[in-house]
Amino acid sequence: ATIERLSIAGFKSFRRRVTIAFHTGFTAIVGENGTGKSNIFDALTFVMGRRSRALRAERVEQLLHAPPTGDPVEEAEVALTIAGGGTAWGDLLPMPADEVLLSRRIASGASTYRLQGRTCPARTVEALLGEIHVDPNGFHIVEQGMVVDVLERSPKRRREILDEVA
Amino acid sequence: ATIERLSIAGFKSFRRRVTIAFHTGFTAIVGENGTGKSNIFDALTFVMGRRSRALRAERVEQLLHAPPTGDPVEEAEVALTIAGGGTAWGDLLPMPADEVLLSRRIASGASTYRLQGRTCPARTVEALLGEIHVDPNGFHIVEQGMVVDVLERSPKRRREILDEVA
Amino acid sequence: KRERFFSVMEAVSSELDKLFRRLFNGGEASLALADPANIDSGLLIRARPPAKEPRLLDALSGGEKTLVAIAFVLALAAGRPAPFYLLDEVDAALDKANSERLANLLKEYAREAQVIVISHNEELIRHADRVYGVVMREGASEVVAMELVAHARS
Amino acid sequence: KRERFFSVMEAVSSELDKLFRRLFNGGEASLALADPANIDSGLLIRARPPAKEPRLLDALSGGEKTLVAIAFVLALAAGRPAPFYLLDEVDAALDKANSERLANLLKEYAREAQVIVISHNEELIRHADRVYGVVMREGASEVVAMELVAHARS
Ligand SMILES: Nc1ncnc2c1ncn2[C@@H]1O[C@H](COP(=O)(O)OP(=O)(O)OP(=O)(O)O)[C@@H](O)[C@H]1O
Ligand SMILES: Nc1ncnc2c1ncn2[C@@H]1O[C@H](COP(=O)(O)OP(=O)(O)OP(=O)(O)O)[C@@H](O)[C@H]1O
Ligand SMILES: [Mg+2]
Ligand SMILES: [Mg+2]
């Protein structure tokens, strides 16, 4: 499976909608301090189900874009297009498809998920991603400042990691 | 007060004696990964009284230089020359001096301190350094990977920091 | 079940060693159970850089620890391949030579999986297939597709 | 005793703001007691980068947090000056512009105190009065005094 496109609107430092195409291979994201690179990382893990605490926000409201002056926006949405899930997704999708649109929205203090545009529970998203070996808290996702964390965890915790991949 | 010279022998990655002159102003220490830069940092804090746990070693024996093949050395010594302690050091020195030689040695699993060449207890070193506002665990000493730690500590802990400088 | 675990541990351990040698230009690394008789005991990582004696993981330098951690994360693919790797400034502690080695390794992984890297490091960025620049204007982030220009100074 | 504390907090807070503005080219920072009525309550750090709304410290970027942390450490000198600063790779998360600003600030502090910095960052190293290079030969570290050479590319 591949990540095709990520679309971010009203989330953290993203005011107007921004769409990034990922394609296969090696993509680099660059820019000066404080411009929003890690916020893109957060958007990607957010739409995959990561909790706001892991996104440097104490409550989901803090994820709504707040301009330098004036009020925060009322709604935030992150949408992810994933291709090539193949037969793994058979039962989880409303109908067979090569491309899947997964989105997560925050409005009125609550977050809702949509799959192919239709509202769905968080566990459906979790199952879908599990089928393609994607875990928003997985080891293939390394947050800023956390790379050596896997060495500093207890040997017990590291032992569990092997179970997760076995 | 200023740090004049640091001399390292048998400590961590230092086999033969190495002496570094610091002088006033801005000194930079550079080199590739794993060459020994942070070990110089460790030597400086070690001679000032920092414990081995804070030096990436579980026991004091691990601070003894171990060559790639063969046995670890039997003894390690770090010596520090400090100038300009002035009258602050009046009572703590055997006789008045502009320059002080402070050294710490590890041998037979124990560490001993020397001041102007004479053995002294750890608390004498602590008092001497306290007079010139040096604390081996102080905020003016920032370990690799620890810079943002002061922001992540609890507000209570940070409040105590102010007490320490007040 | 037990056999499955040991076969995965063996595969990941041997992959870890391979990646370690590649990133360190030598040396060796492996995984081991703290108590080989107890399948639920902790997992130890042994890592010995070239021309150095084996030592506690903790005594390794900042850059060395970074390389071991990355090798471990990539080695897990031998147990279960990940479709993409999302790495935010994992190269902060690396010198030029190690950044270059990491970039080459990631480029290879990018043939099988998507590799998305956030970095300030020119070594890493040079190896990318595409680069997105992020800027902030009036408190709002914007993303620009960037051209990789070959520099006069290689 | 209580007055002494408040006067130190005020001095450090105002120094923190001064250093913050210098490192961020604007914005503001200050210290405050969590409960102004209780002298033993926790200490809060408020930091607002220029052209941004005030926000949790935790929502700041890696580089922004680094600058705030360094500003706080240097601001403590307003309470009690330290004779030297020993900084090991504190600039790992900083982009070029911020590294330059930090280097200029450290150069100023180096007039009053000794500043000893370990860094891989050319921006910082360029500003040093002297540079020591560390190499490893056969498992043993050696230190070489280095010449600061002016580069053709400034
Ligand atoms: N809800 C929000 N509304 C508006 N801006 C926000 C919000 N949450 C975070 N930000 C801003 O986003 C910026 C941080 O962005 P991010 O962490 O993505 O930076 P970065 O590009 O990764 O930088 P660095 O290189 O320093 O790590 C901060 O300046 C913060 O003020
Ligand atoms: N007791 C010891 N005997 C011999 N070598 C040791 C000892 N303790 C640590 N070392 C070696 O010192 C090296 C680490 O040195 P140090 O942490 O100073 O590196 P560094 O220059 O700071 O690198 P980096 O830029 O990656 O942070 C390690 O490779 C480690 O094997
Ligand atoms: Mg970041
Ligand atoms: Mg180091």
Side-chain angles (χ1 to χ4, degrees):
Chain A
T2 41
I3 294 172
E4 296 291 307
R5 250 181 329 285
L6 177 70
S7 177
I8 313 172
F11 179 85
K12 299 194 87 178
S13 58
F14 292 86
R15 190 149 63 233
R16 280 173 294 273
R17 179 171 295 275
V18 165
T19 301
I20 304 164
F22 280 111
H23 310 298
T24 53
F26 189 162
T27 303
I29 297 175
V30 306
E32 299 187 342
N33 293 136
T35 47
K37 306 178 296 296
S38 299
N39 289 346
I40 292 172
F41 176 106
D42 292 339
L44 201 34
T45 58
F46 166 80
V47 72
M48 291 180 181
R50 206 153 164 156
R51 292 182 306 276
S52 58
R53 288 223 126 194
L55 304 172
R56 293 173 289 157
E58 279 173 351
R59 295 179 312 276
V60 92
E61 289 77 21
Q62 287 164 6
L63 297 174
L64 295 168
H65 174 76
T69 53
D71 298 323
V73 300
E74 312 243 316
E75 189 177 296
E77 188 192 53
V78 179
L80 183 65
T81 306
I82 306 174
T87 49
W89 287 344
D91 320 326
L92 296 160
L93 298 182
M95 64 186 69
D98 270 341
E99 253 190 25
V100 166
L101 182 68
L102 166 63
S103 68
R104 186 177 176 189
R105 197 176 295 182
I106 303 164
S108 325
S111 98
T112 49
Y113 290 89
R114 280 170 182 72
L115 191 53
Q116 310 293 49
R118 295 187 207 177
T119 317
C120 70
R123 64 176 178 277
T124 303
V125 173
E126 205 177 325
L128 198 87
L129 294 175
E131 285 299 321
I132 54 168
H133 300 160
V134 171
D135 172 4
N137 304 302
F139 291 92
H140 54 112
I141 295 175
V142 184
E143 207 180 315
Q144 186 165 6
M146 297 293 283
V147 60
V148 291
D149 200 59
V150 69
L151 302 183
E152 267 139 40
R153 299 258 185 105
S154 72
K156 279 273 169 188
R157 176 70 196 101
R158 233 181 281 140
R159 163 72 186 74
E160 290 162 13
I161 293 170
L162 265 198
D163 269 340
E164 285 166 33
V165 301
Chain B
T2 41
I3 294 172
E4 296 290 307
R5 248 179 334 281
L6 177 71
S7 176
I8 313 173
F11 179 85
K12 301 196 84 181
S13 58
F14 291 84
R15 191 148 62 234
R16 280 172 295 274
R17 178 171 296 274
V18 164
T19 302
I20 304 165
F22 281 111
H23 310 298
T24 53
F26 189 162
T27 304
I29 297 175
V30 305
E32 299 188 342
N33 293 136
T35 47
K37 307 179 294 297
S38 298
N39 289 346
I40 292 171
F41 176 106
D42 292 340
L44 200 35
T45 58
F46 166 80
V47 71
M48 290 178 180
R50 205 154 165 158
R51 292 181 307 275
S52 58
R53 289 224 126 195
L55 304 171
R56 293 173 288 157
E58 278 172 353
R59 295 179 311 276
V60 92
E61 288 78 19
Q62 288 164 5
L63 297 174
L64 295 167
H65 173 75
T69 52
D71 299 321
V73 300
E74 312 243 315
E75 190 177 294
E77 188 192 53
V78 180
L80 182 66
T81 305
I82 306 174
T87 50
W89 287 342
D91 320 326
L92 296 160
L93 298 182
M95 65 187 65
D98 271 341
E99 255 192 23
V100 166
L101 181 67
L102 166 64
S103 68
R104 187 178 176 188
R105 197 176 296 183
I106 302 166
S108 324
S111 97
T112 49
Y113 291 89
R114 280 171 181 73
L115 189 55
Q116 310 293 47
R118 295 187 206 176
T119 318
C120 70
R123 65 179 178 274
T124 302
V125 172
E126 204 177 326
L128 197 86
L129 295 175
E131 285 299 321
I132 54 168
H133 299 160
V134 171
D135 172 7
N137 304 302
F139 290 92
H140 54 112
I141 296 174
V142 183
E143 209 182 314
Q144 186 165 4
M146 297 293 283
V147 61
V148 290
D149 199 61
V150 69
L151 302 183
E152 265 138 41
R153 301 258 184 104
S154 73
K156 280 274 170 186
R157 176 71 196 98
R158 233 181 282 141
R159 164 69 186 73
E160 289 162 15
I161 294 170
L162 266 199
D163 269 341
E164 285 165 33
V165 301
Chain C
K1 197 73 203 284
R2 187 185 160 85
E3 280 175 21
R4 167 101 183 115
F5 173 80
F6 276 113
S7 94
V8 167
M9 183 167 116
E10 185 45 43
V12 174
S13 179
S14 113
E15 189 69 10
L16 172 67
D17 185 67
K18 219 164 99 217
L19 294 171
F20 183 92
R21 284 165 192 277
R22 172 103 182 240
L23 289 172
F24 279 82
N25 253 350
E28 57 192 317
S30 59
L31 296 176
L33 280 171
D35 173 8
N38 173 13
I39 199 179
D40 288 316
S41 61
L43 188 67
L44 305 175
I45 299 179
R46 295 209 179 99
R48 189 187 67 73
K52 287 179 182 177
E53 196 176 74
R55 170 166 298 117
L56 280 185
L57 261 192
D58 210 38
L60 292 180
S61 81
E64 289 170 335
K65 278 184 193 159
T66 292
L67 291 179
V68 174
I70 293 172
F72 181 72
V73 161
L74 296 179
L76 290 171
R80 173 171 43 174
F84 69 87
Y85 290 91
L86 179 58
L87 312 172
D88 194 346
E89 292 197 32
V90 296
D91 53 347
L94 300 182
D95 61 37
K96 279 208 166 70
N98 281 327
S99 301
E100 171 101 32
R101 264 172 236 140
L102 176 62
N104 283 318
L105 183 62
L106 290 177
K107 192 130 179 101
E108 250 172 64
Y109 265 71
R111 289 189 218 138
E112 305 296 312
Q114 272 173 303
V115 176
I116 301 161
V117 164
I118 295 171
S119 178
H120 289 128
N121 193 326
E122 288 188 17
E123 277 316 308
L124 244 80
I125 297 158
R126 270 196 311 116
H127 286 74
D129 297 319
R130 73 196 61 84
V131 181
Y132 288 108
V134 189
V135 293
M136 184 163 281
R137 247 175 253 167
E138 288 160 31
S141 294
E142 298 175 12
V143 180
V144 190
M146 293 174 69
E147 280 283 317
L148 274 166
V149 183
H151 287 286
R153 44 177 170 113
S154 86
Chain D
K1 197 69 201 288
R2 188 184 159 83
E3 281 175 22
R4 167 100 183 115
F5 173 80
F6 276 113
S7 92
V8 166
M9 183 168 114
E10 185 45 42
V12 174
S13 180
S14 111
E15 190 68 10
L16 172 67
D17 184 67
K18 217 163 103 217
L19 294 170
F20 183 92
R21 285 166 191 276
R22 172 103 183 244
L23 289 171
F24 279 82
N25 254 351
E28 57 193 319
S30 60
L31 296 176
L33 280 172
D35 173 8
N38 173 12
I39 199 179
D40 289 315
S41 61
L43 188 68
L44 305 175
I45 299 179
R46 294 209 180 99
R48 189 189 65 73
K52 289 179 180 178
E53 195 175 76
R55 172 164 297 116
L56 280 185
L57 260 192
D58 210 39
L60 291 180
S61 81
E64 289 169 336
K65 278 185 194 157
T66 292
L67 290 179
V68 173
I70 293 172
F72 181 71
V73 161
L74 295 178
L76 290 171
R80 174 171 43 171
F84 69 86
Y85 291 91
L86 178 58
L87 313 171
D88 194 347
E89 292 197 30
V90 295
D91 53 347
L94 300 182
D95 60 37
K96 279 208 166 69
N98 281 328
S99 301
E100 171 103 31
R101 263 172 237 140
L102 176 62
N104 283 318
L105 182 63
L106 291 177
K107 191 131 180 103
E108 250 172 65
Y109 265 71
R111 288 189 218 140
E112 304 296 312
Q114 270 173 305
V115 176
I116 302 162
V117 164
I118 296 171
S119 178
H120 288 127
N121 192 326
E122 286 187 19
E123 278 315 309
L124 243 80
I125 297 158
R126 272 196 309 116
H127 286 72
D129 296 320
R130 72 196 62 83
V131 181
Y132 287 108
V134 188
V135 293
M136 185 163 281
R137 246 174 256 167
E138 289 159 30
S141 294
E142 297 175 12
V143 181
V144 190
M146 294 175 67
E147 282 283 318
L148 273 167
V149 182
H151 287 285
R153 45 179 168 115
S154 86

